Amino acid sequence: MLITGSRDGSIRLWNSTTFRFEHELNFDLGSLSSLACIKGSTRIAIGYERGLVLADICTQEHRA
């Protein structure tokens, strides 16, 4: 999983093997200020101008 963030606050999830777009997250908390994850984990922390989001990102291989 490749995770990218943009200034408009949206987070995009990409398949790291095919580089295909998978999903977009947007929590409407302003500009993105930070993005953190631990390799091998399905959880990410997203820091915004007006808040913090902790999200669990499940991929197809983790759903099986």
Side-chain angles (χ1 to χ4, degrees), residues 1-38:
M1 180 69 57
L2 177 63
I3 305 168
T4 62
S6 52
R7 289 185 183 175
D8 69 358
S10 62
I11 302 294
R12 290 179 182 85
L13 307 174
W14 306 84
N15 182 313
S16 61
T17 304
T18 63
F19 298 105
R20 285 187 169 179
F21 172 77
E22 296 283 332
H23 194 71
E24 182 174 342
L25 305 172
N26 196 333
F27 297 99
D28 293 323
L29 292 173
S31 298
L32 182 71
S33 61
S34 58
L35 179 62
C37 64
I38 297 173

Side-chain angles (χ1 to χ4, degrees), residues 35-49:
L35 179 62
C37 64
I38 297 173
K39 185 176 179 179
S41 175
T42 60
R43 295 187 179 154
I44 61 173
I46 311 163
Y48 287 100
E49 180 179 39

